[in-house]
Amino acid sequence: IWSAAKADARSETLLIVSESGPNNLDIHGVGTNVPGYEVSWNCYDRLISHEMKSGPGGVPYYDRDKFKPELAEDMNVGDMSVTFKLKKNAKFHDGAPVTAKDVKWSLDRAVSVGGFPTFQMGAGSLTKTEQFVVVDDNTVRIDFAKKDRLTIPDLAVIVPCVVNSELVKKNATEKDPWGLEYTKQQTAGSGAYKVVKWTAGTEVVMERNDAWVGGPLPKVKRVVWRMVPQAGNRRALLERGDADISYDLPNKDFVELKDNVKLNIVSVPYSNGVQYIGMNVKIAPFDNVKVREAVACAIPYQKIMDAVLFGLAKPMFGAAADKATEVAWPQPTKYFTDIARAKALLAEAGYPNGFETTLSFDLGFAGVNEPLCVLVQESLAQIGIKTTINKIPGANWRTELNKKVLPLYTNVFSGWLDYPEYFFIWCYDGKNSIFNTMSYQSKAMDEFIAGAVDAAAVGNTAKYDADVKGFVDLAFKDIPRIPLYQPYVNVAMQKNVSGYQYWFHRRLDYRALVKA
Amino acid sequence: MLTMIGKRLMFAIPSLIGVVIVTFLLTRALPGDPAAYFAGPAASKEAIEQIRKKLGFDKPLIEQFFRYTNDLAHGDFGTSLTTGQPVATEIRNRLPASAELTLLGLIVSITIAIPLGVLAATRPGSWIDHLCRVTTTAGVSLPVFFTGLVLVYVFYFRLGWSPAPLGRLDVFYSAPAHVSGLYLIDALIARDFETFRSALSQLILPAATLAIFSLAPIARMTRASMLAVLASDFVRTARASGLSPSTVIVTYAFRNAMLPVITTLSMVFSFLLGANVLVEKVFAWPGIGSYAVEALISSDFAPVQGFVLTMAVMYVLLNLFIDILYGVIDPRVRLEG
Amino acid sequence: MSSVAPAVEPAAPGRASGLSATFEHVRYVLGENRVTAFAFGLLIIILFAAIFGPYIVPYDPLASDTAAALKPPSAAHWFGTDQLGRDIFSRVIVATRLDTFIAVASVALVFLMGGLAGIAAGYFGGWTDRIVGRIADTIMAFPLFVLAMGIVAALGNTVQNIIIATAIVNFPLYARVARAEANVRRNAGFVQAARLSGNGEARILLVHILPNIMPIMIVQMSLTMGYAILNAAGLSFIGLGVRPPTAEWGIMVAEGATFMVSGEWWIALFPGLALMIAVFCFNLLGDGLRDIVDPQRRT
Amino acid sequence: MTAQPLLDVHDLTIEFTTRRGIVKAVQHVNISVAKGETLGIVGESGSGKSVTSYAVMRILDRAGRIAEGSVMFSGIDVKAASENEMRDLRGREISMIFQNPRAALNPIRKVGDQIEDVLRQHVQSAASDRGEKAIEALEQVKIARPRERYHAYPFELSGGMCQRVVIALALACNPQLLIADEPTTGLDVTTQKAVMDLIVELTKRRHMSTILITHDLGLAAAYCDRVVVMEKGRVVETAKSADIFARPEHPYTRKLMRATPRIGVSLRDLLPEEEVALSSASPRLRGEADARSAAGEGDSPQTALAETAPHPDPLPAGGERKQKPLLLVEKLVKEYPRQGAGALLSKLFSRKPPVEAEVFRAVDGISFTVGHGESVGLVGESGCGKSTTSMMVMRLLDQSSGRIAFDGEEIGAILPQAFARLPQRKSIQMVFQDPTDSLNPRFTAARAIADPIMQLGNIRGRDALRARCEELAGLVGLPVNLLDRFPHQLSGGQKARVGIARAIALHPKLVILDEPTAALDVSVQAIVLNLLQDLKASMGMSYLFVSHDLNVVRLLCDRVIVMRAGRIVEHGSSERVLGDPQDGYTKELLTAIPHPPLPV
Ligand SMILES: Nc1ncnc2c1ncn2[C@@H]1O[C@H](COP(=O)(O)OP(=O)(O)OP(=O)(O)O)[C@@H](O)[C@H]1O
Ligand SMILES: Nc1ncnc2c1ncn2[C@@H]1O[C@H](COP(=O)(O)OP(=O)(O)OP(=O)(O)O)[C@@H](O)[C@H]1O
Ligand SMILES: [Mg+2]
Ligand SMILES: [Mg+2]
């Protein structure tokens, strides 16, 4: 029995349920988790953002190549710098105007705090505080360290957000000059929403910033984001109409909820993301390419698509034998399930009776990983490879990956910046970043990647295309990791909720959402 | 009485020290690497090392332990990695939620189990005795998370009688002004009956889950001790003196029978605190149980240590309370104390 | 001579010789108490499934069949199939062995640790008692399930570690019961008599006291057996159970839980029922055994 | 007694439904009690005395029921009365006193409140003066400082005081009939007498009728007008108490009467007539002769003994080696820490060794000797330190100070744990007070007897052991076919024999008997005492016989030591000490014994 006021509140409030919540409201914080990105995205502004285009299935999809101003009024790209004029009426949540000083302080902060934010800035060659120059109160110039086509896109990701420098400095301490402790607990931005209540692990309540100038005023006044650990309960909440949006549900639920006339389901493939089976090429017998090929032939691809993903993913296998390599990533391999061939390859490699190894996965994504691994295990058993499944709790997953001692595992990687070479730098380059979990090193590969990066910077399309095709082919030939599929982001909403937009970070953008 | 309390507390100190040491070692043995966690997704080895140093995890275990105990002595429980909050604050915020749930579960359980046990004891071998035995045993045979899930499925999803399993209050109610932290009590104090109803309806299913689980030990103990007391000489004397059955059962048998039951209650409570962990997970309950599980799964030292220590202290206090209660009922204990 | 002796004595009531009297008594208790007889029947079924399970199930419990995934119970699949098309009936039956093994092994382990420590504490008193008591108190002060979780998380989630964790968690229970029982007997006449007969302390403990405590301990074991299974299931539920694809009731319930709301109730229900029946059986049996061992103490 | 009796039990049969079918606990019993009469019901354990009285009050167990017959109480048919009527009857018309007074009171309720509960139930007084009434009731039973006791809990009172409270409770509503079910067992002899006198005085003064249930014929005869003798659920004889000792009619009554230890008889006289004849021929007792022939054993025990006994030279009592005693105890002291929280706390807080005041001397510097082949009685009331003394001599307990010499060797310095493995262990053995408690429930009789032989003896091999066990069984008169039974399958007397067989298995020189017959019925006690006597004669053992029953000690012992509060108050030969006591305490003990009239 709702009182009238409560009913009103209900129509203006968006109730989001998800498995886990943020551990830090500031993306510059130490160890901020993925749900934390969502808060940052909605509560802080960046200088620029992306335009929308129509994506797969007509879902609004961010346009990788088109930018629109957010805090900036306009953007002026020069040869070795870019200049932004700030919107004059932009104000932080506490009413202080957004100035060039704030922007510089925020960018300085991003490149200085270390860890993930600094690292992400570096991906766009933004590494030094000297690169950020206050021209006047309303104008900021960013100098390029070198020509890099990722610099501008990197200014539109979550990290280079603008923070209320005066407010945070007031709450900073000697030990914590960037005031990370302060922004961990509250938002100090100029974004469309501000956090009014946060109970870690339980709920986040956000309210609209009516003075927002970054775009059209959002329709939703209040967002309540509750953590519901049980997937079954999340589904129940949706089906009973109690929750408005849920976005981490098992694939099966999404498939079934599609038939539910009361709900609205959106499925969009991850940009630049692949779920794969990795093999550590430094550990026998996976140092033998034939073994890797044999494994690639023994993966039960279609079974995984059907039983694990319920079709909600884009296959990354089984391309026609004569299909030309595209200048795109991800793209399907030419492998398909062929046990006979796998057996032959294994025999050729000198393991006619197979071998024993462990197959690891991240328990945090057990919903997909566990059945996937069980199927892979069963299939590998057919060619004599006996595997023990090793569940690694989410928090330790990265540690284990970092050690690069897992012989066989499954994982997802997806890059915010949707460029093939960006993915390959991370995952295949001989510099052996932590995402090159296979410890794969190949001179030829490094050359292709470097070539593509350089070609992109100067706009040499022919060279770029050749190099991209080169590294994709090599990756498929040496097959240190076996792409399985491109996962989908699935979001379930009540029918009266609309305006969902897909972003590279795959979190929700409340600003466009509408609840009728 | 005071000396008894002092004595009890003193006896508890070694166990508490034991708890601190064991938890410390146990958490250090957890497989995760908090430094790597802190360092974030793309950190280099050096960055991780640097963070390790900053967190003090590069020091020898002994030194870490002294640092930890020193912090503890200053009331600093550390900071959780996963939620980013000081553990002490979080525990303070979450403890009332767990306490409210557990206590209500226990109260429900007691109000059902004790009459049931008494009834079964007064009619041993009858159908009610068997019924009591079978139903309570069935209750304790169900994994709590399973009971919880089934209850949610039936009463929320299928029938819609119960509110959404979304924690302590419906989204559109705000918590009553903080007095005890227990919403039911705070709502009553604030005379906000709508909130009271909402909080109560949120509590019913999880509390029922806990109650179902804890019926058996209480009912059984009540029955056993009632049977023993009913067969004792002084009950026979009371009967032979012509006292009415109600006086015999209540004043003579029941009060004596309660003594072992009270001891059982402390066990049950400790048991429920464990079961809580799973129930909170099922009902998205913002208590310390779910907090501890998450922390443990993600190798987050501080909350686990804080949780265990809080629980141990609560356990000690509870036992103290029970001893006092025991003393109130049983004059023999009082005299010794 | 001794062999003819029992035959000489007419079987007067209460005077039947040892074994047959025990048997009589058991039969009487089972006859009198239908519930215990029922539990006994269940136990036989459970043991049968544990021993012969893998040989009698219709399907390979690990074999996936994605074409037949998520099928409701039918003639072909009595309990339906799970996400990967594995036959739930086969998995439930086969899991019996692992689950009973976990229960039996952990109970045996805790009996060896807690039981013996408790008996020694009760018998010797003094420092032994104080040390064992302190250990038990310390363990009790932990929220037990969380302690089990911690141990499994720290040592790794293998069957062996689950058994160890369950045993440790039950330690205080056993130590206390054994201590109390040994303590009341430490100055019993027959123990004094054993001393007079020249028995050493260790021998008194093992030959004279232990067998007398066994009945109570067996009851205790039966009751904790159920708890061990629940504990393992709880660990599975939070992701610390045995490794997939091993069939284990707790894991199956936990996995099935996600499917309950979407209507595939059978995935969680049948393993849940099996789990419940097993625990139920052990609990009832414990009660029944208590009846047999000591009718006065029936609860 | 021609008038209508107050209570008339007619043809009463009581059945219990048990695991082994229906048990008729009482069969066709007829009892009547006239107004103002005191009736004694006597009989051995299990003869149905209590059950009969429960039937009168209709407080039988759930399993029991009155199968036949009737119980009329002043015109009311108890069997047919409604539960409400019965409740009015209980406590107000008929009340009951039970054995073990401490257990009969609610441990967590003030005694005053318990009395008030009864008063309230029977509306015996207005709420306002109920307290006064309760205090009055306490005064009547002669409790010192009744006003204080009103607020006491049972555990704060001594056993005797508890019994007085129970009596006060029973008499609070002035009932017409008081049933006292073994009201004095478990109390000291001196207290016993005081309580009995009190009951008699109070009931006489109020013209109440009393039923006194006891297994002590002496007690019944001393206090009752009439005595009913029960055996196996039946009344076998009813007679005036003056007559029953003079002219016992039923053989069972005669047996009971004979078995009661009393002045002026020998141990042999305690046995039933037919067995005296038997036992004069051999020490074997009833049941054993036929059992042995069934087992096919023909040797006389003496020959069997002569072959294996290491000490084949039995000494006459008080033999020539008297000058060098077998056991010498000097200034033996045992101190226990005083209990209670005060002591505990002070132990926790202070590091100082406990001061003198904190210990309690259970045995306070006693000295005595036991000669070869001598039997010495150790008597004294409960808690005076008898058991503690025997435990120290047995080396089961370490003394605080003092010395113990056995057969010329110092054994007092040997720690109890070490003693188990020494050869002297064989020479000192013990028979325990409670035969049930002293047998391992999981050992058969044979295994129990064999235990000391296996540990300390030199007989090896199953068959040899078995043969030795059978031989010992023969000696103590335990049928061989009982050897494979477990304790719970044996009767009290049989268990006592197993305990004795075990004690003599290693041919000890000294056997300590700690109240070996306290848990047994008089008739069984008579047999066991005779057995002990015979064994002593045939094996030349010495006894230290601990007891609180002076009559028993008189029969069995050469010398007597009387203890009180840890000290020896008097010692000397049995005749002297018991015939002509010097110490006041000994005198008190002696007068407290209820003396049945001597048989003609
Ligand atoms: N609740 C019962 N169930 C079965 N049998 C019983 C029960 N109570 C008593 N009996 C039986 O009734 C018989 C008489 O018992 P009762 O207690 O009257 O003996 P008693 O003469 O009072 O003996 P004691 O001197 O030992 O008190 C016994 O053989 C006993 O086994
Ligand atoms: N372990 C002990 N700790 C403290 N006090 C004890 C202990 N054992 C015995 N006592 C005390 O020592 C005293 C003597 O006890 P003991 O058992 O020797 O008495 P007893 O003469 O054998 O009495 P009973 O006739 O009741 O057997 C008693 O007051 C008893 O309370
Ligand atoms: Mg009796
Ligand atoms: Mg004694």
PDB file of all heavy atoms in Angstrom, chain A residues 333-349:
ATOM      1  N   THR A 333      38.588 -17.140 -35.747  1.00  0.00           N
ATOM      2  CA  THR A 333      39.684 -17.975 -36.234  1.00  0.00           C
ATOM      3  C   THR A 333      39.112 -19.006 -37.188  1.00  0.00           C
ATOM      4  O   THR A 333      37.898 -19.097 -37.354  1.00  0.00           O
ATOM      5  CB  THR A 333      40.329 -18.741 -35.073  1.00  0.00           C
ATOM      6  OG1 THR A 333      39.370 -19.676 -34.587  1.00  0.00           O
ATOM      7  CG2 THR A 333      40.747 -17.810 -33.956  1.00  0.00           C
ATOM      8  N   LYS A 334      39.987 -19.797 -37.745  1.00  0.00           N
ATOM      9  CA  LYS A 334      39.494 -20.842 -38.652  1.00  0.00           C
ATOM     10  C   LYS A 334      39.410 -22.184 -37.946  1.00  0.00           C
ATOM     11  O   LYS A 334      39.218 -23.217 -38.559  1.00  0.00           O
ATOM     12  CB  LYS A 334      40.397 -20.916 -39.870  1.00  0.00           C
ATOM     13  CG  LYS A 334      40.328 -19.618 -40.660  1.00  0.00           C
ATOM     14  CD  LYS A 334      41.020 -19.670 -41.984  1.00  0.00           C
ATOM     15  CE  LYS A 334      40.690 -18.446 -42.806  1.00  0.00           C
ATOM     16  NZ  LYS A 334      41.762 -17.443 -42.826  1.00  0.00           N
ATOM     17  N   TYR A 335      39.596 -22.153 -36.642  1.00  0.00           N
ATOM     18  CA  TYR A 335      39.501 -23.422 -35.902  1.00  0.00           C
ATOM     19  C   TYR A 335      38.047 -23.797 -35.668  1.00  0.00           C
ATOM     20  O   TYR A 335      37.185 -22.945 -35.564  1.00  0.00           O
ATOM     21  CB  TYR A 335      40.207 -23.299 -34.545  1.00  0.00           C
ATOM     22  CG  TYR A 335      41.697 -23.148 -34.664  1.00  0.00           C
ATOM     23  CD1 TYR A 335      42.301 -21.902 -34.585  1.00  0.00           C
ATOM     24  CD2 TYR A 335      42.506 -24.282 -34.844  1.00  0.00           C
ATOM     25  CE1 TYR A 335      43.669 -21.763 -34.710  1.00  0.00           C
ATOM     26  CE2 TYR A 335      43.883 -24.147 -34.966  1.00  0.00           C
ATOM     27  CZ  TYR A 335      44.464 -22.891 -34.883  1.00  0.00           C
ATOM     28  OH  TYR A 335      45.809 -22.755 -35.004  1.00  0.00           O
ATOM     29  N   PHE A 336      37.828 -25.092 -35.629  1.00  0.00           N
ATOM     30  CA  PHE A 336      36.523 -25.611 -35.229  1.00  0.00           C
ATOM     31  C   PHE A 336      36.782 -26.957 -34.546  1.00  0.00           C
ATOM     32  O   PHE A 336      37.905 -27.452 -34.585  1.00  0.00           O
ATOM     33  CB  PHE A 336      35.584 -25.766 -36.439  1.00  0.00           C
ATOM     34  CG  PHE A 336      36.148 -26.616 -37.524  1.00  0.00           C
ATOM     35  CD1 PHE A 336      35.882 -27.980 -37.589  1.00  0.00           C
ATOM     36  CD2 PHE A 336      37.000 -26.050 -38.491  1.00  0.00           C
ATOM     37  CE1 PHE A 336      36.451 -28.751 -38.582  1.00  0.00           C
ATOM     38  CE2 PHE A 336      37.555 -26.831 -39.483  1.00  0.00           C
ATOM     39  CZ  PHE A 336      37.290 -28.184 -39.539  1.00  0.00           C
ATOM     40  N   THR A 337      35.767 -27.487 -33.924  1.00  0.00           N
ATOM     41  CA  THR A 337      35.980 -28.720 -33.147  1.00  0.00           C
ATOM     42  C   THR A 337      36.238 -29.887 -34.093  1.00  0.00           C
ATOM     43  O   THR A 337      35.413 -30.193 -34.953  1.00  0.00           O
ATOM     44  CB  THR A 337      34.743 -29.026 -32.278  1.00  0.00           C
ATOM     45  OG1 THR A 337      34.293 -27.801 -31.706  1.00  0.00           O
ATOM     46  CG2 THR A 337      35.085 -30.030 -31.200  1.00  0.00           C
ATOM     47  N   ASP A 338      37.409 -30.500 -33.964  1.00  0.00           N
ATOM     48  CA  ASP A 338      37.792 -31.595 -34.842  1.00  0.00           C
ATOM     49  C   ASP A 338      38.685 -32.519 -34.025  1.00  0.00           C
ATOM     50  O   ASP A 338      39.910 -32.388 -34.008  1.00  0.00           O
ATOM     51  CB  ASP A 338      38.546 -31.043 -36.062  1.00  0.00           C
ATOM     52  CG  ASP A 338      38.863 -32.145 -37.068  1.00  0.00           C
ATOM     53  OD1 ASP A 338      38.745 -33.347 -36.696  1.00  0.00           O
ATOM     54  OD2 ASP A 338      39.253 -31.818 -38.198  1.00  0.00           O
ATOM     55  N   ILE A 339      38.052 -33.424 -33.339  1.00  0.00           N
ATOM     56  CA  ILE A 339      38.779 -34.271 -32.377  1.00  0.00           C
ATOM     57  C   ILE A 339      39.844 -35.117 -33.079  1.00  0.00           C
ATOM     58  O   ILE A 339      40.960 -35.272 -32.587  1.00  0.00           O
ATOM     59  CB  ILE A 339      37.797 -35.170 -31.619  1.00  0.00           C
ATOM     60  CG1 ILE A 339      36.811 -34.294 -30.809  1.00  0.00           C
ATOM     61  CG2 ILE A 339      38.522 -36.133 -30.692  1.00  0.00           C
ATOM     62  CD1 ILE A 339      37.435 -33.507 -29.682  1.00  0.00           C
ATOM     63  N   ALA A 340      39.503 -35.627 -34.266  1.00  0.00           N
ATOM     64  CA  ALA A 340      40.447 -36.491 -34.976  1.00  0.00           C
ATOM     65  C   ALA A 340      41.725 -35.712 -35.280  1.00  0.00           C
ATOM     66  O   ALA A 340      42.845 -36.176 -35.025  1.00  0.00           O
ATOM     67  CB  ALA A 340      39.809 -37.003 -36.269  1.00  0.00           C
ATOM     68  N   ARG A 341      41.524 -34.496 -35.763  1.00  0.00           N
ATOM     69  CA  ARG A 341      42.684 -33.689 -36.104  1.00  0.00           C
ATOM     70  C   ARG A 341      43.476 -33.342 -34.827  1.00  0.00           C
ATOM     71  O   ARG A 341      44.705 -33.355 -34.817  1.00  0.00           O
ATOM     72  CB  ARG A 341      42.223 -32.403 -36.791  1.00  0.00           C
ATOM     73  CG  ARG A 341      43.394 -31.652 -37.399  1.00  0.00           C
ATOM     74  CD  ARG A 341      42.967 -30.521 -38.303  1.00  0.00           C
ATOM     75  NE  ARG A 341      43.978 -29.473 -38.240  1.00  0.00           N
ATOM     76  CZ  ARG A 341      43.720 -28.180 -38.118  1.00  0.00           C
ATOM     77  NH1 ARG A 341      42.453 -27.773 -38.050  1.00  0.00           N
ATOM     78  NH2 ARG A 341      44.697 -27.315 -38.059  1.00  0.00           N
ATOM     79  N   ALA A 342      42.759 -33.076 -33.779  1.00  0.00           N
ATOM     80  CA  ALA A 342      43.420 -32.748 -32.517  1.00  0.00           C
ATOM     81  C   ALA A 342      44.279 -33.909 -32.050  1.00  0.00           C
ATOM     82  O   ALA A 342      45.428 -33.733 -31.638  1.00  0.00           O
ATOM     83  CB  ALA A 342      42.380 -32.415 -31.458  1.00  0.00           C
ATOM     84  N   LYS A 343      43.726 -35.090 -32.192  1.00  0.00           N
ATOM     85  CA  LYS A 343      44.475 -36.281 -31.769  1.00  0.00           C
ATOM     86  C   LYS A 343      45.737 -36.421 -32.609  1.00  0.00           C
ATOM     87  O   LYS A 343      46.828 -36.678 -32.085  1.00  0.00           O
ATOM     88  CB  LYS A 343      43.607 -37.533 -31.954  1.00  0.00           C
ATOM     89  CG  LYS A 343      42.816 -37.881 -30.705  1.00  0.00           C
ATOM     90  CD  LYS A 343      42.177 -39.258 -30.873  1.00  0.00           C
ATOM     91  CE  LYS A 343      41.323 -39.583 -29.669  1.00  0.00           C
ATOM     92  NZ  LYS A 343      40.128 -40.354 -30.003  1.00  0.00           N
ATOM     93  N   ALA A 344      45.569 -36.245 -33.917  1.00  0.00           N
ATOM     94  CA  ALA A 344      46.700 -36.387 -34.816  1.00  0.00           C
ATOM     95  C   ALA A 344      47.781 -35.369 -34.447  1.00  0.00           C
ATOM     96  O   ALA A 344      48.972 -35.699 -34.350  1.00  0.00           O
ATOM     97  CB  ALA A 344      46.242 -36.196 -36.259  1.00  0.00           C
ATOM     98  N   LEU A 345      47.345 -34.128 -34.215  1.00  0.00           N
ATOM     99  CA  LEU A 345      48.307 -33.079 -33.895  1.00  0.00           C
ATOM    100  C   LEU A 345      49.057 -33.390 -32.606  1.00  0.00           C
ATOM    101  O   LEU A 345      50.264 -33.188 -32.492  1.00  0.00           O
ATOM    102  CB  LEU A 345      47.583 -31.733 -33.756  1.00  0.00           C
ATOM    103  CG  LEU A 345      47.233 -31.043 -35.066  1.00  0.00           C
ATOM    104  CD1 LEU A 345      46.190 -29.962 -34.837  1.00  0.00           C
ATOM    105  CD2 LEU A 345      48.494 -30.435 -35.690  1.00  0.00           C
ATOM    106  N   LEU A 346      48.308 -33.911 -31.667  1.00  0.00           N
ATOM    107  CA  LEU A 346      48.916 -34.215 -30.376  1.00  0.00           C
ATOM    108  C   LEU A 346      49.945 -35.336 -30.528  1.00  0.00           C
ATOM    109  O   LEU A 346      51.031 -35.294 -29.935  1.00  0.00           O
ATOM    110  CB  LEU A 346      47.818 -34.628 -29.385  1.00  0.00           C
ATOM    111  CG  LEU A 346      48.093 -34.361 -27.915  1.00  0.00           C
ATOM    112  CD1 LEU A 346      48.418 -32.894 -27.687  1.00  0.00           C
ATOM    113  CD2 LEU A 346      46.885 -34.753 -27.085  1.00  0.00           C
ATOM    114  N   ALA A 347      49.585 -36.309 -31.344  1.00  0.00           N
ATOM    115  CA  ALA A 347      50.515 -37.412 -31.591  1.00  0.00           C
ATOM    116  C   ALA A 347      51.775 -36.872 -32.265  1.00  0.00           C
ATOM    117  O   ALA A 347      52.907 -37.208 -31.899  1.00  0.00           O
ATOM    118  CB  ALA A 347      49.861 -38.476 -32.469  1.00  0.00           C
ATOM    119  N   GLU A 348      51.531 -35.986 -33.224  1.00  0.00           N
ATOM    120  CA  GLU A 348      52.650 -35.376 -33.958  1.00  0.00           C
ATOM    121  C   GLU A 348      53.561 -34.627 -32.985  1.00  0.00           C
ATOM    122  O   GLU A 348      54.780 -34.626 -33.117  1.00  0.00           O
ATOM    123  CB  GLU A 348      52.067 -34.362 -34.944  1.00  0.00           C
ATOM    124  CG  GLU A 348      52.408 -34.619 -36.397  1.00  0.00           C
ATOM    125  CD  GLU A 348      51.732 -33.558 -37.235  1.00  0.00           C
ATOM    126  OE1 GLU A 348      50.524 -33.745 -37.548  1.00  0.00           O
ATOM    127  OE2 GLU A 348      52.360 -32.542 -37.523  1.00  0.00           O
ATOM    128  N   ALA A 349      52.940 -34.007 -32.007  1.00  0.00           N
ATOM    129  CA  ALA A 349      53.714 -33.226 -31.055  1.00  0.00           C
ATOM    130  C   ALA A 349      54.446 -34.117 -30.063  1.00  0.00           C
ATOM    131  O   ALA A 349      55.280 -33.638 -29.296  1.00  0.00           O
ATOM    132  CB  ALA A 349      52.793 -32.284 -30.291  1.00  0.00           C
TER     133      ALA A 349
END
